[in-house]
Amino acid sequence: MKNRVVNIPKPLWKLHGKQTYKQDLVMTYLIAVIVMLVNLKASNELVLWKVIVVAILSIDIGGGVVSNFTRGTINYYRESKLSPYLFVWFHLLQAFALACIYQVSFFPISLTMIIAMIGASVAIAFHKTAMQRQISVFFFALVVLMLSLFTEVPIPAKTLTVLMSFKLLAGFSAHYGKPIE
């Protein structure tokens, strides 16, 4: 398959960068839809407004899992003057929305996402060292292990928490400031 570069409209630069490969866009949106469909299937007990919020979070977080690994997104954040810490901690809004939807799991969702954001911040702080990726993976493993202890967390909440942690830790913070491979 030919690597075709696509120019991205300015409102979507924070999601995909200024330019990205067509295949990256296809995979980003394909996983976004798959995550949404899986979470909607498992969210049949929720009221309509909560289903809509879960669908939006699923698309955004699911797409971010692939997008945070793409050259377009990595280049955009490398070249921009935007704070990587602001990017990481902005996800507190998504974590809070998810925790509010699944109020019985408010503590586990909040705790694991705060650990993920702290881990991402620590990894970014170590971006000039050889330990950055290991720190990211360490914190991701810690989040997964912690979340596994909370069996009461519904599947969509657990899925989105793991995926959000993955995109922040393994995707964004593990690559921040590093050359693209």
Side-chain angles (χ1 to χ4, degrees):
M1 183 177 218
K2 186 178 176 187
N3 286 337
R4 185 168 159 237
V5 175
V6 178
N7 291 320
I8 303 298
K10 190 171 183 172
L12 298 177
W13 283 0
K14 289 183 180 165
L15 299 174
H16 304 294
K18 295 178 182 180
Q19 292 183 324
T20 195
Y21 293 110
K22 183 178 178 182
Q23 305 91 297
D24 291 343
L25 290 174
V26 169
M27 286 188 288
T28 296
Y29 287 102
L30 182 60
I31 195 64
V33 169
I34 291 169
V35 170
M36 181 192 69
L37 292 174
V38 167
N39 285 332
L40 290 180
K41 173 79 170 119
S43 296
N44 54 3
E45 77 286 351
L46 296 176
V47 296
L48 181 60
W49 75 268
K50 289 183 177 183
V51 170
I52 292 168
V53 173
V54 168
I56 293 167
L57 288 172
S58 296
I59 289 170
D60 186 32
I61 294 167
V65 168
V66 172
S67 182
N68 281 6
F69 281 91
T70 65
R71 289 181 182 187
T73 301
I74 292 169
N75 281 336
Y76 176 76
Y77 281 97
R78 178 177 293 133
E79 294 166 3
S80 75
K81 302 297 180 203
L82 301 172
S83 168
Y85 300 104
L86 181 61
F87 174 81
V88 167
W89 287 94
F90 185 77
H91 287 80
L92 197 56
L93 294 174
Q94 290 177 323
F96 182 72
L98 188 60
C100 286
I101 296 293
Y102 296 101
Q103 290 180 356
V104 295
S105 301
F106 191 92
F107 176 74
I109 293 167
S110 300
L111 176 66
T112 53
M113 284 313 306
I114 287 172
I115 296 293
M117 290 178 213
I118 289 170
S121 297
V122 170
I124 289 167
F126 280 80
H127 76 277
K128 292 183 179 180
T129 73
M131 292 299 297
Q132 181 181 12
R133 291 184 181 148
Q134 293 89 326
I135 290 168
S136 293
V137 172
F138 171 84
F139 275 98
F140 179 69
L142 185 61
V143 164
V144 171
L145 290 170
M146 287 176 56
L147 197 57
S148 71
L149 296 174
F150 299 105
T151 57
E152 74 277 10
V153 177
I155 290 171
K158 197 170 273 192
T159 301
L160 291 175
T161 302
V162 167
L163 291 176
M164 192 174 355
S165 299
F166 183 76
K167 80 177 204 160
L168 289 175
L169 288 161
F172 185 77
S173 67
H175 294 99
Y176 181 80
K178 298 290 188 209
I180 299 173
E181 298 166 359

PDB file of all heavy atoms in Angstrom, residues 72-100:
ATOM      1  N   GLY A  72       2.222  12.004  12.230  1.00  0.00           N
ATOM      2  CA  GLY A  72       1.566  13.310  12.150  1.00  0.00           C
ATOM      3  C   GLY A  72       1.325  13.912  13.528  1.00  0.00           C
ATOM      4  O   GLY A  72       1.648  15.084  13.779  1.00  0.00           O
ATOM      5  N   THR A  73       0.786  13.128  14.441  1.00  0.00           N
ATOM      6  CA  THR A  73       0.506  13.617  15.787  1.00  0.00           C
ATOM      7  C   THR A  73       1.794  13.856  16.563  1.00  0.00           C
ATOM      8  O   THR A  73       1.953  14.888  17.223  1.00  0.00           O
ATOM      9  CB  THR A  73      -0.403  12.619  16.544  1.00  0.00           C
ATOM     10  OG1 THR A  73      -1.614  12.463  15.803  1.00  0.00           O
ATOM     11  CG2 THR A  73      -0.727  13.111  17.944  1.00  0.00           C
ATOM     12  N   ILE A  74       2.719  12.916  16.481  1.00  0.00           N
ATOM     13  CA  ILE A  74       3.996  13.065  17.191  1.00  0.00           C
ATOM     14  C   ILE A  74       4.730  14.306  16.694  1.00  0.00           C
ATOM     15  O   ILE A  74       5.222  15.107  17.497  1.00  0.00           O
ATOM     16  CB  ILE A  74       4.867  11.800  17.048  1.00  0.00           C
ATOM     17  CG1 ILE A  74       4.231  10.633  17.804  1.00  0.00           C
ATOM     18  CG2 ILE A  74       6.291  12.049  17.555  1.00  0.00           C
ATOM     19  CD1 ILE A  74       4.856   9.279  17.520  1.00  0.00           C
ATOM     20  N   ASN A  75       4.780  14.503  15.376  1.00  0.00           N
ATOM     21  CA  ASN A  75       5.440  15.693  14.806  1.00  0.00           C
ATOM     22  C   ASN A  75       4.746  16.985  15.244  1.00  0.00           C
ATOM     23  O   ASN A  75       5.393  17.978  15.552  1.00  0.00           O
ATOM     24  CB  ASN A  75       5.488  15.627  13.287  1.00  0.00           C
ATOM     25  CG  ASN A  75       6.596  14.738  12.797  1.00  0.00           C
ATOM     26  OD1 ASN A  75       7.578  14.502  13.478  1.00  0.00           O
ATOM     27  ND2 ASN A  75       6.423  14.215  11.592  1.00  0.00           N
ATOM     28  N   TYR A  76       3.421  16.957  15.251  1.00  0.00           N
ATOM     29  CA  TYR A  76       2.674  18.158  15.634  1.00  0.00           C
ATOM     30  C   TYR A  76       3.041  18.594  17.052  1.00  0.00           C
ATOM     31  O   TYR A  76       3.339  19.768  17.298  1.00  0.00           O
ATOM     32  CB  TYR A  76       1.169  17.925  15.525  1.00  0.00           C
ATOM     33  CG  TYR A  76       0.372  19.106  16.010  1.00  0.00           C
ATOM     34  CD1 TYR A  76       0.247  20.248  15.228  1.00  0.00           C
ATOM     35  CD2 TYR A  76      -0.230  19.099  17.265  1.00  0.00           C
ATOM     36  CE1 TYR A  76      -0.460  21.354  15.676  1.00  0.00           C
ATOM     37  CE2 TYR A  76      -0.940  20.191  17.721  1.00  0.00           C
ATOM     38  CZ  TYR A  76      -1.051  21.313  16.923  1.00  0.00           C
ATOM     39  OH  TYR A  76      -1.752  22.401  17.385  1.00  0.00           O
ATOM     40  N   TYR A  77       3.020  17.670  17.987  1.00  0.00           N
ATOM     41  CA  TYR A  77       3.328  18.038  19.371  1.00  0.00           C
ATOM     42  C   TYR A  77       4.815  18.343  19.570  1.00  0.00           C
ATOM     43  O   TYR A  77       5.172  19.137  20.428  1.00  0.00           O
ATOM     44  CB  TYR A  77       2.824  16.970  20.339  1.00  0.00           C
ATOM     45  CG  TYR A  77       1.338  17.120  20.551  1.00  0.00           C
ATOM     46  CD1 TYR A  77       0.430  16.349  19.835  1.00  0.00           C
ATOM     47  CD2 TYR A  77       0.845  18.073  21.423  1.00  0.00           C
ATOM     48  CE1 TYR A  77      -0.929  16.514  19.994  1.00  0.00           C
ATOM     49  CE2 TYR A  77      -0.520  18.250  21.587  1.00  0.00           C
ATOM     50  CZ  TYR A  77      -1.408  17.479  20.884  1.00  0.00           C
ATOM     51  OH  TYR A  77      -2.753  17.662  21.033  1.00  0.00           O
ATOM     52  N   ARG A  78       5.668  17.743  18.771  1.00  0.00           N
ATOM     53  CA  ARG A  78       7.095  18.047  18.858  1.00  0.00           C
ATOM     54  C   ARG A  78       7.355  19.476  18.373  1.00  0.00           C
ATOM     55  O   ARG A  78       8.133  20.210  18.960  1.00  0.00           O
ATOM     56  CB  ARG A  78       7.907  17.059  18.025  1.00  0.00           C
ATOM     57  CG  ARG A  78       9.407  17.391  18.051  1.00  0.00           C
ATOM     58  CD  ARG A  78      10.243  16.405  17.296  1.00  0.00           C
ATOM     59  NE  ARG A  78      10.221  15.120  17.973  1.00  0.00           N
ATOM     60  CZ  ARG A  78      10.009  13.964  17.355  1.00  0.00           C
ATOM     61  NH1 ARG A  78       9.823  13.916  16.074  1.00  0.00           N
ATOM     62  NH2 ARG A  78      10.000  12.843  18.033  1.00  0.00           N
ATOM     63  N   GLU A  79       6.694  19.872  17.286  1.00  0.00           N
ATOM     64  CA  GLU A  79       6.928  21.181  16.681  1.00  0.00           C
ATOM     65  C   GLU A  79       6.147  22.317  17.351  1.00  0.00           C
ATOM     66  O   GLU A  79       6.547  23.470  17.269  1.00  0.00           O
ATOM     67  CB  GLU A  79       6.568  21.136  15.191  1.00  0.00           C
ATOM     68  CG  GLU A  79       7.468  20.228  14.393  1.00  0.00           C
ATOM     69  CD  GLU A  79       6.920  19.906  13.011  1.00  0.00           C
ATOM     70  OE1 GLU A  79       5.854  20.437  12.634  1.00  0.00           O
ATOM     71  OE2 GLU A  79       7.559  19.095  12.308  1.00  0.00           O
ATOM     72  N   SER A  80       5.055  21.979  17.993  1.00  0.00           N
ATOM     73  CA  SER A  80       4.230  23.031  18.604  1.00  0.00           C
ATOM     74  C   SER A  80       4.848  23.499  19.913  1.00  0.00           C
ATOM     75  O   SER A  80       5.717  22.852  20.486  1.00  0.00           O
ATOM     76  CB  SER A  80       2.811  22.505  18.855  1.00  0.00           C
ATOM     77  OG  SER A  80       2.812  21.643  19.974  1.00  0.00           O
ATOM     78  N   LYS A  81       4.381  24.587  20.370  1.00  0.00           N
ATOM     79  CA  LYS A  81       4.839  25.123  21.654  1.00  0.00           C
ATOM     80  C   LYS A  81       3.861  24.745  22.772  1.00  0.00           C
ATOM     81  O   LYS A  81       3.903  25.310  23.859  1.00  0.00           O
ATOM     82  CB  LYS A  81       4.981  26.651  21.576  1.00  0.00           C
ATOM     83  CG  LYS A  81       5.933  27.112  20.491  1.00  0.00           C
ATOM     84  CD  LYS A  81       7.344  26.624  20.750  1.00  0.00           C
ATOM     85  CE  LYS A  81       8.264  27.113  19.642  1.00  0.00           C
ATOM     86  NZ  LYS A  81       9.440  26.325  19.499  1.00  0.00           N
ATOM     87  N   LEU A  82       2.979  23.797  22.503  1.00  0.00           N
ATOM     88  CA  LEU A  82       2.004  23.371  23.491  1.00  0.00           C
ATOM     89  C   LEU A  82       2.680  22.545  24.580  1.00  0.00           C
ATOM     90  O   LEU A  82       3.561  21.739  24.312  1.00  0.00           O
ATOM     91  CB  LEU A  82       0.904  22.538  22.825  1.00  0.00           C
ATOM     92  CG  LEU A  82       0.116  23.236  21.719  1.00  0.00           C
ATOM     93  CD1 LEU A  82      -0.791  22.249  21.015  1.00  0.00           C
ATOM     94  CD2 LEU A  82      -0.684  24.394  22.295  1.00  0.00           C
ATOM     95  N   SER A  83       2.250  22.737  25.782  1.00  0.00           N
ATOM     96  CA  SER A  83       2.809  21.992  26.908  1.00  0.00           C
ATOM     97  C   SER A  83       2.377  20.532  26.842  1.00  0.00           C
ATOM     98  O   SER A  83       1.172  20.239  26.762  1.00  0.00           O
ATOM     99  CB  SER A  83       2.322  22.590  28.229  1.00  0.00           C
ATOM    100  OG  SER A  83       2.614  21.733  29.300  1.00  0.00           O
ATOM    101  N   PRO A  84       3.320  19.592  26.901  1.00  0.00           N
ATOM    102  CA  PRO A  84       2.931  18.183  26.919  1.00  0.00           C
ATOM    103  C   PRO A  84       2.189  17.839  28.211  1.00  0.00           C
ATOM    104  O   PRO A  84       1.340  16.955  28.227  1.00  0.00           O
ATOM    105  CB  PRO A  84       4.267  17.439  26.828  1.00  0.00           C
ATOM    106  CG  PRO A  84       5.277  18.405  27.344  1.00  0.00           C
ATOM    107  CD  PRO A  84       4.777  19.768  26.968  1.00  0.00           C
ATOM    108  N   TYR A  85       2.490  18.558  29.274  1.00  0.00           N
ATOM    109  CA  TYR A  85       1.808  18.318  30.552  1.00  0.00           C
ATOM    110  C   TYR A  85       0.348  18.743  30.473  1.00  0.00           C
ATOM    111  O   TYR A  85      -0.529  18.066  31.008  1.00  0.00           O
ATOM    112  CB  TYR A  85       2.515  19.057  31.690  1.00  0.00           C
ATOM    113  CG  TYR A  85       3.942  18.613  31.855  1.00  0.00           C
ATOM    114  CD1 TYR A  85       4.983  19.415  31.408  1.00  0.00           C
ATOM    115  CD2 TYR A  85       4.258  17.388  32.442  1.00  0.00           C
ATOM    116  CE1 TYR A  85       6.310  19.009  31.540  1.00  0.00           C
ATOM    117  CE2 TYR A  85       5.571  16.969  32.573  1.00  0.00           C
ATOM    118  CZ  TYR A  85       6.595  17.789  32.122  1.00  0.00           C
ATOM    119  OH  TYR A  85       7.895  17.381  32.253  1.00  0.00           O
ATOM    120  N   LEU A  86       0.089  19.840  29.784  1.00  0.00           N
ATOM    121  CA  LEU A  86      -1.290  20.285  29.593  1.00  0.00           C
ATOM    122  C   LEU A  86      -2.064  19.239  28.794  1.00  0.00           C
ATOM    123  O   LEU A  86      -3.209  18.917  29.128  1.00  0.00           O
ATOM    124  CB  LEU A  86      -1.321  21.640  28.881  1.00  0.00           C
ATOM    125  CG  LEU A  86      -2.706  22.226  28.631  1.00  0.00           C
ATOM    126  CD1 LEU A  86      -3.441  22.472  29.946  1.00  0.00           C
ATOM    127  CD2 LEU A  86      -2.594  23.525  27.846  1.00  0.00           C
ATOM    128  N   PHE A  87      -1.434  18.697  27.766  1.00  0.00           N
ATOM    129  CA  PHE A  87      -2.075  17.641  26.975  1.00  0.00           C
ATOM    130  C   PHE A  87      -2.434  16.459  27.867  1.00  0.00           C
ATOM    131  O   PHE A  87      -3.556  15.952  27.824  1.00  0.00           O
ATOM    132  CB  PHE A  87      -1.158  17.178  25.843  1.00  0.00           C
ATOM    133  CG  PHE A  87      -1.698  16.000  25.085  1.00  0.00           C
ATOM    134  CD1 PHE A  87      -2.645  16.168  24.088  1.00  0.00           C
ATOM    135  CD2 PHE A  87      -1.272  14.708  25.375  1.00  0.00           C
ATOM    136  CE1 PHE A  87      -3.148  15.080  23.382  1.00  0.00           C
ATOM    137  CE2 PHE A  87      -1.776  13.614  24.684  1.00  0.00           C
ATOM    138  CZ  PHE A  87      -2.715  13.800  23.691  1.00  0.00           C
ATOM    139  N   VAL A  88      -1.505  16.025  28.701  1.00  0.00           N
ATOM    140  CA  VAL A  88      -1.746  14.875  29.582  1.00  0.00           C
ATOM    141  C   VAL A  88      -2.856  15.186  30.573  1.00  0.00           C
ATOM    142  O   VAL A  88      -3.821  14.431  30.707  1.00  0.00           O
ATOM    143  CB  VAL A  88      -0.450  14.470  30.320  1.00  0.00           C
ATOM    144  CG1 VAL A  88      -0.735  13.503  31.455  1.00  0.00           C
ATOM    145  CG2 VAL A  88       0.551  13.865  29.337  1.00  0.00           C
ATOM    146  N   TRP A  89      -2.749  16.296  31.277  1.00  0.00           N
ATOM    147  CA  TRP A  89      -3.694  16.599  32.353  1.00  0.00           C
ATOM    148  C   TRP A  89      -5.047  17.059  31.841  1.00  0.00           C
ATOM    149  O   TRP A  89      -6.044  17.014  32.578  1.00  0.00           O
ATOM    150  CB  TRP A  89      -3.072  17.572  33.345  1.00  0.00           C
ATOM    151  CG  TRP A  89      -2.043  16.839  34.158  1.00  0.00           C
ATOM    152  CD1 TRP A  89      -0.700  16.767  33.908  1.00  0.00           C
ATOM    153  CD2 TRP A  89      -2.276  16.010  35.288  1.00  0.00           C
ATOM    154  NE1 TRP A  89      -0.085  15.948  34.826  1.00  0.00           N
ATOM    155  CE2 TRP A  89      -1.027  15.472  35.687  1.00  0.00           C
ATOM    156  CE3 TRP A  89      -3.410  15.658  36.009  1.00  0.00           C
ATOM    157  CZ2 TRP A  89      -0.893  14.612  36.778  1.00  0.00           C
ATOM    158  CZ3 TRP A  89      -3.287  14.812  37.090  1.00  0.00           C
ATOM    159  CH2 TRP A  89      -2.048  14.293  37.470  1.00  0.00           C
ATOM    160  N   PHE A  90      -5.139  17.441  30.576  1.00  0.00           N
ATOM    161  CA  PHE A  90      -6.434  17.755  29.985  1.00  0.00           C
ATOM    162  C   PHE A  90      -7.332  16.518  29.981  1.00  0.00           C
ATOM    163  O   PHE A  90      -8.552  16.613  30.057  1.00  0.00           O
ATOM    164  CB  PHE A  90      -6.249  18.299  28.558  1.00  0.00           C
ATOM    165  CG  PHE A  90      -7.533  18.743  27.927  1.00  0.00           C
ATOM    166  CD1 PHE A  90      -8.106  19.946  28.289  1.00  0.00           C
ATOM    167  CD2 PHE A  90      -8.168  17.956  26.982  1.00  0.00           C
ATOM    168  CE1 PHE A  90      -9.301  20.360  27.715  1.00  0.00           C
ATOM    169  CE2 PHE A  90      -9.360  18.352  26.404  1.00  0.00           C
ATOM    170  CZ  PHE A  90      -9.928  19.567  26.774  1.00  0.00           C
ATOM    171  N   HIS A  91      -6.719  15.352  29.948  1.00  0.00           N
ATOM    172  CA  HIS A  91      -7.479  14.104  29.956  1.00  0.00           C
ATOM    173  C   HIS A  91      -8.171  13.842  31.285  1.00  0.00           C
ATOM    174  O   HIS A  91      -8.981  12.922  31.405  1.00  0.00           O
ATOM    175  CB  HIS A  91      -6.573  12.931  29.571  1.00  0.00           C
ATOM    176  CG  HIS A  91      -6.234  12.940  28.118  1.00  0.00           C
ATOM    177  ND1 HIS A  91      -5.245  13.747  27.598  1.00  0.00           N
ATOM    178  CD2 HIS A  91      -6.769  12.266  27.074  1.00  0.00           C
ATOM    179  CE1 HIS A  91      -5.184  13.559  26.300  1.00  0.00           C
ATOM    180  NE2 HIS A  91      -6.098  12.671  25.948  1.00  0.00           N
ATOM    181  N   LEU A  92      -7.877  14.649  32.279  1.00  0.00           N
ATOM    182  CA  LEU A  92      -8.596  14.557  33.548  1.00  0.00           C
ATOM    183  C   LEU A  92     -10.086  14.809  33.327  1.00  0.00           C
ATOM    184  O   LEU A  92     -10.928  14.213  33.998  1.00  0.00           O
ATOM    185  CB  LEU A  92      -8.016  15.567  34.542  1.00  0.00           C
ATOM    186  CG  LEU A  92      -8.348  15.377  36.017  1.00  0.00           C
ATOM    187  CD1 LEU A  92      -7.937  13.995  36.502  1.00  0.00           C
ATOM    188  CD2 LEU A  92      -7.648  16.436  36.842  1.00  0.00           C
ATOM    189  N   LEU A  93     -10.409  15.658  32.349  1.00  0.00           N
ATOM    190  CA  LEU A  93     -11.817  15.912  32.024  1.00  0.00           C
ATOM    191  C   LEU A  93     -12.504  14.639  31.525  1.00  0.00           C
ATOM    192  O   LEU A  93     -13.637  14.336  31.913  1.00  0.00           O
ATOM    193  CB  LEU A  93     -11.932  17.013  30.970  1.00  0.00           C
ATOM    194  CG  LEU A  93     -11.482  18.407  31.397  1.00  0.00           C
ATOM    195  CD1 LEU A  93     -11.502  19.365  30.211  1.00  0.00           C
ATOM    196  CD2 LEU A  93     -12.348  18.924  32.529  1.00  0.00           C
ATOM    197  N   GLN A  94     -11.823  13.890  30.656  1.00  0.00           N
ATOM    198  CA  GLN A  94     -12.391  12.634  30.172  1.00  0.00           C
ATOM    199  C   GLN A  94     -12.536  11.625  31.314  1.00  0.00           C
ATOM    200  O   GLN A  94     -13.549  10.941  31.420  1.00  0.00           O
ATOM    201  CB  GLN A  94     -11.525  12.035  29.072  1.00  0.00           C
ATOM    202  CG  GLN A  94     -11.556  12.798  27.785  1.00  0.00           C
ATOM    203  CD  GLN A  94     -10.635  12.194  26.755  1.00  0.00           C
ATOM    204  OE1 GLN A  94      -9.552  11.713  27.066  1.00  0.00           O
ATOM    205  NE2 GLN A  94     -11.072  12.219  25.503  1.00  0.00           N
ATOM    206  N   ALA A  95     -11.511  11.543  32.150  1.00  0.00           N
ATOM    207  CA  ALA A  95     -11.555  10.616  33.286  1.00  0.00           C
ATOM    208  C   ALA A  95     -12.696  10.983  34.221  1.00  0.00           C
ATOM    209  O   ALA A  95     -13.426  10.100  34.708  1.00  0.00           O
ATOM    210  CB  ALA A  95     -10.224  10.621  34.023  1.00  0.00           C
ATOM    211  N   PHE A  96     -12.872  12.265  34.479  1.00  0.00           N
ATOM    212  CA  PHE A  96     -13.943  12.724  35.356  1.00  0.00           C
ATOM    213  C   PHE A  96     -15.310  12.407  34.748  1.00  0.00           C
ATOM    214  O   PHE A  96     -16.213  11.940  35.448  1.00  0.00           O
ATOM    215  CB  PHE A  96     -13.803  14.225  35.628  1.00  0.00           C
ATOM    216  CG  PHE A  96     -14.856  14.751  36.556  1.00  0.00           C
ATOM    217  CD1 PHE A  96     -14.830  14.445  37.904  1.00  0.00           C
ATOM    218  CD2 PHE A  96     -15.884  15.557  36.070  1.00  0.00           C
ATOM    219  CE1 PHE A  96     -15.814  14.925  38.767  1.00  0.00           C
ATOM    220  CE2 PHE A  96     -16.865  16.047  36.912  1.00  0.00           C
ATOM    221  CZ  PHE A  96     -16.833  15.728  38.271  1.00  0.00           C
ATOM    222  N   ALA A  97     -15.471  12.637  33.444  1.00  0.00           N
ATOM    223  CA  ALA A  97     -16.740  12.318  32.772  1.00  0.00           C
ATOM    224  C   ALA A  97     -17.033  10.823  32.873  1.00  0.00           C
ATOM    225  O   ALA A  97     -18.163  10.418  33.185  1.00  0.00           O
ATOM    226  CB  ALA A  97     -16.691  12.761  31.310  1.00  0.00           C
ATOM    227  N   LEU A  98     -16.028  10.014  32.658  1.00  0.00           N
ATOM    228  CA  LEU A  98     -16.198   8.557  32.754  1.00  0.00           C
ATOM    229  C   LEU A  98     -16.560   8.140  34.181  1.00  0.00           C
ATOM    230  O   LEU A  98     -17.460   7.330  34.388  1.00  0.00           O
ATOM    231  CB  LEU A  98     -14.910   7.863  32.296  1.00  0.00           C
ATOM    232  CG  LEU A  98     -14.942   6.368  32.136  1.00  0.00           C
ATOM    233  CD1 LEU A  98     -15.986   5.944  31.113  1.00  0.00           C
ATOM    234  CD2 LEU A  98     -13.563   5.862  31.720  1.00  0.00           C
ATOM    235  N   ALA A  99     -15.881   8.726  35.149  1.00  0.00           N
ATOM    236  CA  ALA A  99     -16.155   8.404  36.556  1.00  0.00           C
ATOM    237  C   ALA A  99     -17.566   8.845  36.956  1.00  0.00           C
ATOM    238  O   ALA A  99     -18.220   8.171  37.763  1.00  0.00           O
ATOM    239  CB  ALA A  99     -15.108   9.050  37.456  1.00  0.00           C
ATOM    240  N   CYS A 100     -18.043   9.940  36.397  1.00  0.00           N
ATOM    241  CA  CYS A 100     -19.406  10.395  36.700  1.00  0.00           C
ATOM    242  C   CYS A 100     -20.458   9.486  36.068  1.00  0.00           C
ATOM    243  O   CYS A 100     -21.518   9.259  36.656  1.00  0.00           O
ATOM    244  CB  CYS A 100     -19.598  11.833  36.236  1.00  0.00           C
ATOM    245  SG  CYS A 100     -18.752  13.022  37.288  1.00  0.00           S
TER     246      CYS A 100
END
